[in-house]
Amino acid sequence: MDGNAKYYEGCGQEGPIRCIFLCEFHPTAGPKITCQVPENYISKDIFDTVSHYIIPKVQLQRCTLTVTLLGSKILGFPVRIDNKKYARNAYYFNLCFVCDAWARTVHLEPLVKKLTEYLLSMELETEWLSKQSKSGDAKDLGGLMRQVMQDINSKRMCTLTVGTTTTHLTVVRVNSDPAPVKDHQVPVFLYSRQSFVADQWDLTTNQILPYIDGFNHVSKIAALSDVEVSLVRACVQNLVYYGVVTIVPIFQYCAVYSATPKLRQLTRCAGLQRQCVEFCARSPRQLPKVSDLFRMYAGMSYGSTVRDLCLRLRPQELAINERKLVLFGVLEGLIRRVYKYPITLNNDDNSSVRSDHNQNMVRTYNGLVCLDELCCQGGLSASQLEEQLERDNKVVFIVK
């Protein structure tokens, strides 16, 4: 099997910069490559094929452009300088990065733009680019491009100094889009809310922030903040993307959790023990014992709800806040939520459970939507919905 089979266009993998070149529009020769590192990586024939995309019309100037052909992906940011000192009263140039056609290049777009702006400023001040082009000696430009390619590929950062002008280039990691946020999910801050800088966010996000407490689900946040639920979902998804919040299941006493192998760390890691004790305490003046916290987590298993666990171990008497106990366990991966998914047998049969709120509504369940989401959609408590579904002998539950 081909070792490169996992690399294909759209695979999402990052690749190295294979070449950097600067092209310009020559007043007599037309579009041409002034300098490239390594030399002749992009042949004249290939460049001529796509030159009208690399040196584009006015409408596409100062836009990030990507062209893919013959196994290579060319990324550029074309610029035009209007000035009567240039032939044809304008100077067109484009600094381009070349990567493999399969490589993800979105993280390089800010670098191409910043490096182009750096070259633009030097051209405006000292004609640094056009002088090298006219003389035919682009040694300084070639050295700069070689440094950029080597440093970015090896260290993902580069510092350039030309004369008294310095710029810093850094590859910033671009996260993939998070999964769509649903109405029944609960956002929780990943760090202290006091360190959140409100001025960096839009008005809608600032409006919902006071209601993000680790227990309110998206629909409830929308109701409390008087913001359309679709906007709340979008704001929360944006906060998830930037690592400000994460998503946890809604807390319910009828919910079932299961301990994970990571629970062993609570017996070994003093730092985790200290965090758990402080987070799960009912009062800062009376801290729970680690052994009691471990016993609560270890008691979480299939078939045992949080309510059952509380009745058996009485966390109030152990100075444990059971809501925070569950939240901490989910955030640290010590426990995981066990969901129930209803599924209707014989889907070709129209008979199925009818909602008490709307006797005319008939719904079949495909086993893909959990009870939490159904409760949020129907405005029912988990016990009400579960009791309602259990009366229908055509509905069974998948538990996972």
Side-chain angles (χ1 to χ4, degrees):
M1 186 175 178
D2 185 1
N4 292 324
K6 65 178 180 177
Y7 298 119
Y8 54 90
E9 189 169 356
C11 66
Q13 301 291 321
E14 295 180 6
I17 301 171
R18 299 295 186 184
C19 169
I20 300 179
F21 68 86
L22 181 100
C23 59
E24 62 180 15
F25 187 86
H26 192 273
T28 56
K32 71 168 192 174
I33 295 178
T34 302
C35 179
Q36 67 171 311
V37 176
E39 292 183 7
N40 300 318
Y41 187 90
I42 298 295
S43 68
K44 185 179 185 303
D45 291 340
I46 292 177
F47 178 76
D48 289 344
T49 304
V50 295
S51 61
H52 57 289
Y53 297 113
I54 305 298
I55 305 289
K57 301 290 185 182
V58 177
Q59 293 82 352
L60 293 178
Q61 296 292 324
R62 301 187 69 82
C63 294
T64 303
L65 301 178
T66 304
V67 180
T68 304
L69 80 162
L70 300 177
S72 294
K73 183 179 289 187
I74 301 173
L75 178 67
F77 188 79
V79 170
R80 182 183 75 166
I81 303 174
D82 292 311
N83 197 304
K84 292 181 180 180
K85 68 183 177 182
Y86 299 112
R88 300 196 181 188
N89 298 323
Y91 178 55
Y92 298 81
F93 75 90
N94 191 358
L95 180 95
C96 299
F97 287 7
V98 182
C99 300
D100 295 306
W102 51 263
R104 185 171 184 257
T105 57
V106 65
H107 61 292
L108 296 176
E109 291 179 5
L111 267 68
V112 171
K113 182 178 178 182
K114 185 173 182 179
L115 185 54
T116 300
E117 298 284 2
Y118 181 60
L119 296 177
L120 175 62
S121 67
M122 290 194 293
E123 174 63 25
L124 292 173
E125 291 175 10
T126 64
E127 300 180 18
W128 194 75
L129 290 177
S130 56
K131 282 182 179 178
Q132 293 184 66
S133 175
K134 288 176 183 177
S135 67
D137 181 10
K139 186 191 305 182
D140 292 342
L141 177 59
L144 180 143
M145 293 193 300
R146 187 173 290 104
Q147 180 187 348
V148 171
M149 188 169 74
Q150 291 174 351
D151 288 356
I152 295 299
N153 283 341
S154 60
K155 300 183 292 186
R156 297 176 70 85
M157 62 178 61
C158 179
T159 300
L160 298 173
T161 302
V162 177
T164 58
T165 309
T166 300
T167 192
H168 303 277
L169 304 175
T170 304
V171 178
V172 179
R173 181 174 176 267
V174 179
N175 298 320
S176 57
D177 290 338
V181 174
K182 298 182 179 179
D183 293 353
H184 68 286
Q185 293 178 321
V186 177
V188 56
F189 278 101
L190 287 174
Y191 56 86
S192 172
R193 192 159 135 192
Q194 283 69 34
S195 59
F196 187 89
V197 182
D199 293 344
Q200 296 179 352
W201 304 91
D202 58 85
L203 294 175
T204 306
T205 300
N206 281 313
Q207 191 171 341
I208 70 172
L209 284 179
Y211 306 101
I212 298 178
D213 62 356
F215 300 105
N216 291 334
H217 55 79
V218 168
S219 287
K220 187 173 182 180
I221 292 171
L224 292 172
S225 61
D226 194 24
V227 175
E228 171 64 37
V229 69
S230 61
L231 294 178
V232 176
R233 285 197 301 266
C235 290
V236 171
Q237 186 173 10
N238 191 48
L239 292 171
V240 171
Y241 177 86
Y242 286 106
V244 177
V245 304
T246 189
I247 297 297
V248 297
I250 187 171
F251 176 86
Q252 297 182 93
Y253 281 99
C254 61
V256 175
Y257 292 85
S258 176
T260 69
K262 196 175 177 182
L263 181 59
R264 297 191 196 98
Q265 294 185 13
L266 192 60
T267 63
R268 305 168 184 166
C269 179
L272 183 64
Q273 291 175 0
R274 184 175 60 256
Q275 292 176 27
C276 187
V277 166
E278 293 174 355
F279 190 91
C280 301
R282 281 187 170 271
S283 167
R285 291 171 294 182
Q286 186 180 5
L287 299 179
K289 296 179 181 177
V290 174
S291 58
D292 291 334
L293 293 166
F294 183 85
R295 197 152 51 95
M296 289 282 293
Y297 283 130
M300 296 181 181
S301 61
Y302 285 88
S304 178
T305 65
V306 176
R307 181 183 291 108
D308 296 335
L309 192 66
C310 291
L311 290 173
R312 188 168 72 250
L313 299 179
R314 301 183 181 277
Q316 299 91 337
E317 298 175 4
L318 303 175
I320 297 174
N321 183 322
E322 64 274 12
R323 293 168 67 92
K324 289 187 174 183
L325 176 88
V326 169
L327 180 57
F328 184 86
V330 171
L331 288 173
E332 295 296 329
L334 307 180
I335 57 173
R336 68 175 186 86
R337 176 70 186 275
V338 178
Y339 291 97
K340 275 189 174 182
Y341 297 84
I343 184 168
T344 305
L345 304 177
N346 302 324
N347 280 332
D348 55 328
D349 190 342
N350 289 329
S351 63
S352 106
V353 70
R354 296 175 182 270
S355 169
D356 290 340
H357 290 279
N358 186 352
Q359 291 297 324
N360 297 319
M361 183 181 74
V362 177
R363 177 167 187 174
T364 58
Y365 300 93
N366 57 12
L368 300 177
V369 183
C370 67
L371 280 184
D372 286 0
E373 187 170 354
L374 293 171
C375 289
C376 197
Q377 291 173 357
L380 300 171
S381 69
S383 57
Q384 286 176 317
L385 181 60
E386 196 164 352
E387 180 183 350
Q388 186 176 315
L389 292 174
E390 286 177 348
R391 291 201 301 266
D392 190 333
N393 58 12
K394 292 187 178 297
V395 175
V396 296
F397 292 98
I398 298 174
V399 179
K400 60 179 181 179

